[in-house]
Amino acid sequence: MASNTEERIAELQGELARARVALRASQGREAALREALAPFAIAWPLHRAAVILDGHPRTPLDIERLEREALGSFYTFAIAGSRHLVWITLTGQDLKDAYDACDTTQGGRR
């Protein structure tokens, strides 16, 4: 019986060690993704402010319309594939999502 218990403890310790390695790898990927998102997260408040300032909002409806515009198309480019031309558009919503993701993963700090 003691042998089975020791074997089980050894198995669990092995699983724990593998889980720790997987956790460190996951944390490394998260840090790399956060670093990749950072420029887009920084761009969101700047883009939003530029849209709002350029639009000279006067009423709450103007501000609401400009907020919607800020979430729209930001940058579009084409990639020529083997048979197709693919258009990729980065939107203000993408910038906002990056901003929110960085804000969430950093515990609300920037």
Side-chain angles (χ1 to χ4, degrees):
M1 180 101 178
S3 177
N4 286 342
T5 303
E6 291 169 0
E7 286 176 18
R8 184 65 182 137
I9 290 172
E11 284 176 22
L12 292 172
Q13 287 173 334
E15 286 179 28
L16 180 59
R18 286 188 294 277
R20 285 181 177 149
V21 168
L23 175 62
R24 280 192 295 276
S26 177
Q27 288 169 332
R29 284 190 302 274
E30 180 185 344
L33 289 171
R34 188 180 314 121
E35 185 177 332
L37 280 176
F40 299 100
I42 292 167
W44 166 245
L46 301 175
H47 169 68
R48 180 180 173 273
V51 170
I52 297 296
L53 291 175
D54 283 348
H56 304 292
R58 305 221 189 303
T59 69
L61 286 177
D62 290 333
I63 293 171
E64 188 177 315
R65 178 185 54 79
L66 291 170
E67 290 279 353
R68 282 194 309 272
E69 279 182 31
L71 295 173
S73 180
F74 176 70
Y75 181 73
T76 300
F77 61 97
I79 298 176
S82 59
R83 289 190 241 165
H84 305 290
L85 187 63
V86 178
W87 289 94
I88 297 176
T89 300
L90 178 66
T91 66
Q93 183 65 55
D94 295 322
L95 299 179
K96 184 179 182 312
D97 290 346
Y99 179 87
D100 292 343
C102 284
D103 191 44
T104 299
T105 57
Q106 294 180 8
R109 295 173 311 215
R110 229 181 281 296

